Amino acid sequence: MKKYTYFIYTLLFLLTTLVACDREKIDYGLDENEGIEAGIGKLNLSFPLETKASGNYDDFVITIVNSEQEIEVEYIYGRMPDMIELNAGSYTVYAESPGFDSTQPSNNPYYKGAQSFTIKKDEITLVNTVVCTMQNIKVEMLLAESLENVLATYQVTATFIGDGGQTMTFSYDQNNTGLQYTYFPEINEGEQHVLTVQLTGTTNSQNGSKAINLGKTYSDVTAGEYRRITFTYSANAGSADFNLDIDAECEIVDKNIVVPGIPTDPGPDPGDGEEPEIIGFSFEGETFDITESVVIPMMSPEKELIVRIKAENGIKNLTVEIESGQLVEGGLLAMFPLDPYFDLAYPGVNEESLKTLNFPVGNDVIGKKEIDFEVTMFTQILAELDFPEEHKFHLKVIDLNNKSAEATLKINVVEQ
């Protein structure tokens, strides 16, 4: 009994010394949610860029909205963080190319995509694939070389007509042939449109200097299509009485763009990268076998004891479960206070106590490839118990690819 009483005073002294100014900030479990936000999870956005279309997508706009379609956050791809926090709930992430003007044709394609996901409390969510497809319509108008040879002047015009009769036009002539295509935005989103193309001009003197005016109409034009219109010369060469026939080739172009946090798959293949590791890094300055017990004599001084956790793909969760008659059943952990089971990535009400014990928590754990779990302080506390017992710390690490590793640190306190 005297030894046990001595230990209690020793433990109280250690706690007083460690906590000092921070003691009052510790949550004693009267209200587990006091001082913290309930229902917070993390969204991982740290994936590398992948694309099926050439170009630089650093200026893509990433927008995350909640279930009410209210904007939660908005980023520029090139300046997006690796990880963000969101309240638990349903969300949608949108990715789109910048500078889109829905009122006029453009020289550039417009890409957009969306993906829904769910944030869960104390978990890291990886966004599933968001494929950004072309949302406008590319129209290219070409003249066959044989046709250009018989024309003195010409103008090619494309008119894009919406469901309500709204129109947009694009044209070029013999003096301006640098750009022979344009991208029309959808006038009525999700609706079919009508495209008309027209060639006007005159033939050269060798072919009678005749006026021409030919056109063609295409219906059911929708977003994502690439329509190439080729004007061809169908008459015999040199004939003054020739006809022009319009031929059209249409293909649907789907150029997929993937941005960080919006990978082409839900994440790296679980077969890629090394498995997480939990190793005995240092016991009194020497490596040790984590599968074997660490022996500490009763009433011995503090001994360095460090377990190293490695995760090449970054740590997602690092849980610890303490199995000890004196610490758990004897109620000594409650003096810190500290639960017998906790996650260093999401410590909750245990955060201040874990910091006091010099354990890494939160962002000092999440995404890290290597951290130390040091229980040096516990070696003295357990030795001071002056009670022989094997104390177990069950460790489990889960990486961002959901690979895991488990090990048990066993501290065997023995009589001298």
Side-chain angles (χ1 to χ4, degrees):
M1 178 63 70
K2 290 182 179 180
K3 289 182 179 179
Y4 189 80
T5 302
Y6 171 76
F7 163 73
I8 293 296
Y9 282 117
T10 302
L11 179 58
L12 289 174
F13 173 77
L14 288 171
L15 291 176
T16 303
T17 303
L18 288 167
V19 176
C21 299
D22 292 331
R23 183 64 175 173
E24 293 182 359
K25 296 188 293 184
I26 297 177
D27 186 340
Y28 285 88
L30 297 177
D31 182 354
E32 292 188 350
N33 295 320
E34 184 178 355
I36 65 168
E37 291 183 286
I40 299 296
K42 289 183 181 284
L43 177 65
N44 187 293
L45 296 172
S46 60
F47 294 93
L49 177 67
E50 296 181 24
T51 175
K52 293 182 180 178
S54 60
N56 186 333
Y57 304 101
D58 283 352
D59 55 355
F60 263 48
V61 178
I62 307 300
T63 305
I64 296 175
V65 303
N66 59 28
S67 58
E68 303 297 325
Q69 291 300 299
E70 299 168 333
I71 295 177
E72 292 283 340
V73 292
E74 190 170 76
Y75 298 109
I76 301 300
Y77 158 67
R79 300 191 292 273
M80 195 159 60
D82 292 337
M83 192 91 63
I84 61 172
E85 289 188 347
L86 292 170
N87 288 315
S90 299
Y91 296 86
T92 302
V93 58
Y94 293 95
E96 59 183 322
S97 50
F100 176 64
D101 186 345
S102 62
T103 65
Q104 60 185 0
S106 168
N107 295 340
N108 302 307
Y110 168 59
Y111 295 100
K112 185 177 181 180
Q115 178 64 53
S116 297
F117 62 93
T118 301
I119 293 291
K120 296 182 180 180
K121 179 183 177 182
D122 294 347
E123 292 187 16
I124 297 176
T125 297
L126 309 182
V127 179
N128 290 326
T129 302
V130 173
V131 177
C132 296
T133 57
M134 190 171 72
Q135 299 297 304
N136 43 12
I137 297 94
K138 182 177 181 179
V139 176
E140 183 178 24
M141 298 178 293
L142 304 174
L143 272 66
E145 184 177 357
S146 58
L147 174 58
E148 284 195 85
N149 291 337
V150 301
L151 295 179
T153 64
Y154 63 85
Q155 178 171 295
V156 182
T157 302
T159 302
F160 196 56
I161 307 171
D163 187 55
Q166 309 95 317
T167 63
M168 297 181 188
T169 60
F170 167 78
S171 65
Y172 70 91
D173 57 31
Q174 75 279 355
N175 298 316
N176 181 21
T177 61
L179 194 64
Q180 298 176 322
Y181 66 87
T182 192
Y183 291 88
F184 286 108
E186 285 189 288
I187 295 176
N188 306 108
E189 186 174 354
E191 300 292 335
Q192 296 178 339
H193 299 72
V194 174
L195 172 68
T196 65
V197 293
Q198 187 173 36
L199 171 64
T200 60
T202 58
T203 62
N204 56 32
S205 57
Q206 292 89 347
N207 290 281
S209 299
K210 289 190 173 184
I212 57 172
N213 187 346
L214 300 169
K216 196 166 184 179
T217 299
Y218 306 95
S219 59
D220 301 336
V221 180
T222 58
E225 290 186 344
Y226 171 14
R227 298 237 175 182
R228 177 184 291 122
I229 313 300
T230 303
F231 295 92
T232 59
Y233 173 39
S234 63
N236 294 328
S239 171
D241 298 317
F242 63 87
N243 296 314
L244 294 178
D245 185 31
I246 299 175
D247 188 20
E249 177 185 348
C250 173
E251 60 177 313
I252 297 178
V253 178
D254 182 6
K255 293 187 177 181
N256 301 330
I257 298 172
V258 181
V259 298
I262 311 175
T264 49
D265 53 56
D269 189 326
D272 295 336
E274 297 181 3
E275 299 284 342
E277 290 183 279
I278 301 176
I279 60 176
F281 180 70
S282 176
F283 178 52
E284 295 190 284
E286 301 289 338
T287 59
F288 65 96
D289 187 349
I290 191 71
T291 64
E292 300 291 334
S293 296
V294 172
V295 179
I296 298 176
M298 290 188 297
M299 303 306 295
S300 62
E302 182 178 274
K303 300 179 185 298
E304 181 184 71
L305 182 55
I306 301 173
V307 175
R308 179 155 291 177
I309 292 90
K310 295 183 178 181
E312 180 183 326
N313 299 309
I315 296 172
K316 178 180 178 181
N317 298 92
L318 177 54
T319 61
V320 181
E321 182 177 5
I322 301 174
E323 182 182 346
S324 166
Q326 293 297 308
L327 292 179
V328 180
E329 289 83 357
L332 298 180
L333 281 183
M335 297 177 64
F336 282 87
L338 184 65
D339 293 333
Y341 178 87
F342 51 86
D343 185 346
L344 290 174
Y346 295 91
V349 295
N350 295 294
E351 182 171 355
E352 290 300 328
S353 296
L354 290 170
K355 286 181 177 179
T356 299
L357 293 168
N358 295 320
F359 288 122
V361 295
N363 290 333
D364 290 331
V365 175
I366 298 171
K368 302 300 182 183
K369 296 185 177 183
E370 181 177 293
I371 65 170
D372 287 339
F373 178 76
E374 183 172 355
V375 291
T376 300
M377 181 184 300
F378 275 96
T379 64
Q380 182 177 358
I381 293 174
L382 296 176
E384 292 288 355
L385 286 173
D386 198 18
F387 187 88
E389 182 184 356
E390 186 172 69
H391 309 270
K392 298 178 181 179
F393 294 75
H394 302 288
L395 306 175
K396 181 177 181 179
V397 57
I398 302 174
D399 72 11
L400 293 173
N401 286 346
N402 289 321
K403 295 180 181 180
S404 63
E406 298 183 41
T408 298
L409 171 64
K410 298 182 286 290
I411 303 176
N412 191 15
V413 178
V414 298
E415 295 181 356
Q416 296 204 50

